[in-house]
Amino acid sequence: MFIKKKTFHMLVDKTISKIEKYLDEYNGKLDLDYENNGKITKINFESKNEIIITRQEFLKQIWVATKSQGYYFKYKNNKWICRKKKHELFEFIKKYLFKKTQEKYFK
């Protein structure tokens, strides 16, 4: 599926906005913070873990880096899907956040 440059950026912006709204729901409840400079979004945990989300315009992908691994998401059927693991991006972020905060708050 070919995505035009303008459409790609619109889709990424919409996805990042959805992730930020999800994070805002937990504002003050969890020790994490995020910042977005337009091309890179960083989610930082008090435990020094972080998630880095970048848009790869040339490849029309979103890349997600965690402390232990990198994931590449391509837009298919109205979703960002991981090439290897077949995770959907937003669900992947939610599960990763739960895993990291569960370790801290539910021991």
Side-chain angles (χ1 to χ4, degrees):
M1 172 183 197
F2 178 77
I3 300 174
K4 293 182 180 182
K5 181 178 175 179
K6 184 176 179 179
T7 303
F8 169 76
H9 287 291
M10 181 190 71
L11 292 168
V12 174
D13 290 344
K14 183 177 176 181
T15 301
I16 296 299
S17 178
K18 182 178 178 179
I19 292 168
E20 289 175 345
K21 286 178 185 175
Y22 179 76
L23 294 171
D24 286 342
E25 289 179 28
Y26 295 95
N27 187 20
K29 298 175 189 170
L30 300 175
D31 288 327
L32 60 84
D33 192 19
Y34 70 90
E35 59 184 276
N36 178 357
N37 73 5
K39 293 188 180 192
I40 298 172
T41 301
K42 291 183 182 181
I43 303 169
N44 300 298
F45 299 85
E46 185 179 275
S47 63
K48 305 295 183 215
N49 281 308
E50 69 180 356
I51 300 172
I52 300 172
I53 304 169
T54 60
R55 58 181 77 208
Q56 300 298 318
E57 181 181 314
F58 180 74
L59 298 171
K60 304 293 190 276
Q61 295 177 347
I62 295 176
W63 290 5
V64 176
T66 66
K67 189 174 183 176
S68 62
Q69 197 167 352
Y71 302 88
Y72 310 101
F73 293 83
K74 191 167 186 142
Y75 198 73
K76 290 174 64 173
N77 301 323
N78 299 318
K79 295 179 184 178
W80 292 99
I81 305 295
C82 180
R83 291 181 340 162
K84 292 181 184 177
K85 305 273 185 186
K86 306 301 180 204
H87 301 292
E88 191 274 325
L89 176 61
F90 186 68
E91 291 302 316
F92 170 80
I93 297 291
K94 284 179 18 179
K95 287 178 184 176
Y96 188 85
L97 291 170
F98 178 76
K99 178 181 173 187
K100 291 303 171 189
T101 56
Q102 182 184 28
E103 289 177 7
K104 180 174 182 189
Y105 293 99
F106 301 110
K107 279 192 175 181

